[in-house]
Amino acid sequence: KIGLDMLLQEKPVVHVSFNQHSDNVISWYEDIFNETAKKKNLADADEVKDSVIRNRVILNFSPDSVSAERIVNTLKALAQGGITASCLIIDGLDLNLLKSEDFKALKAYGKEANLVIWFSYNVENDEAYTNDDVDCVIHLAQKPDTIQMMVLKAHGTAADIASLKLDSKTLLMSEK
């Protein structure tokens, strides 16, 4: 939803995926967009969808060869070609493959390029929560008819577990 939200604000997004096929990422954006457009009764949905697609770049990397250097070099090459991003989403990352230096390098590049960076990953422990190079940690938990969103860390300090319920189809705030 973060990527779609940025795109709807006409801010370009680069979405890094570690899946061999970008079809899954494309479908995810389409499904969330379609559900949101339906819920919000968006009259010009096709035009908005076209502008969203124009501002999105999906990159696939092999999980075995990922590094901050490789991601940053790719972003710099895109920028030299005229494609700059306001938001970088790194989706499905295995935290065991990145070192602390990688987080530092990505954070430094994000600051230099005025780029917001979001990671999504499954975690079994609190490693990201305690990583000083990660500014915010948000935990999403699937419930029967909603997704429970909990802010665990915000800009370096532990949060008071702010909680919000999201609609499981649109990821918009739920009224349930």
Side-chain angles (χ1 to χ4, degrees), residues 9-176:
Q9 295 176 53
E10 298 182 5
K11 295 179 180 178
V13 171
V14 172
H15 191 119
V16 172
S17 174
F18 300 100
N19 189 324
Q20 294 296 333
H21 305 284
S22 55
D23 294 350
N24 294 341
V25 176
I26 292 169
S27 292
W28 185 87
Y29 275 97
E30 280 200 21
D31 291 347
I32 296 295
F33 178 84
N34 290 337
E35 289 294 328
T36 302
K38 197 182 327 176
K39 187 167 187 158
K40 296 292 183 179
N41 297 319
L42 191 60
D44 55 347
D46 289 337
E47 290 175 35
V48 173
K49 188 187 233 178
D50 288 344
S51 79
V52 163
I53 291 169
R54 279 193 301 273
N55 284 320
R56 179 191 67 204
V57 173
I58 299 171
L59 302 173
N60 290 2
F61 286 98
S62 168
D64 300 330
S65 62
V66 69
S67 69
E69 180 180 18
R70 187 163 178 224
I71 292 170
V72 167
N73 287 342
T74 301
L75 292 171
K76 286 180 178 180
L78 287 171
Q80 286 176 346
I83 300 171
T84 58
S86 296
C87 178
L88 170 65
I89 296 176
I90 301 176
D91 185 19
L93 178 68
D94 181 349
L95 282 185
N96 297 319
L97 299 176
L98 289 184
K99 301 177 183 82
S100 180
E101 299 82 44
D102 290 314
F103 282 103
K104 284 180 179 27
L106 286 166
K107 189 173 183 176
Y109 180 72
K111 196 172 208 173
E112 170 191 324
N114 197 26
L115 178 70
V116 174
I117 302 174
W118 285 87
F119 294 91
S120 76
Y121 52 87
N122 293 328
V123 65
E124 298 296 325
N125 56 40
D126 61 356
E127 184 177 342
Y129 183 68
T130 60
N131 185 329
D132 290 334
D133 299 311
V134 175
D135 292 329
C136 298
V137 176
I138 299 170
H139 177 76
L140 301 176
Q142 182 69 51
K143 301 295 180 184
D145 57 351
T146 62
I147 295 174
Q148 185 79 34
M149 182 180 110
M150 295 164 282
V151 178
L152 303 178
K153 177 181 172 183
H155 300 287
T157 60
D160 292 334
I161 311 291
S163 184
L164 185 65
K165 289 183 181 178
L166 305 175
D167 180 283
S168 58
K169 287 185 180 180
T170 64
L171 298 180
L172 295 173
M173 286 189 284
S174 177
E175 296 157 7
K176 296 177 185 177

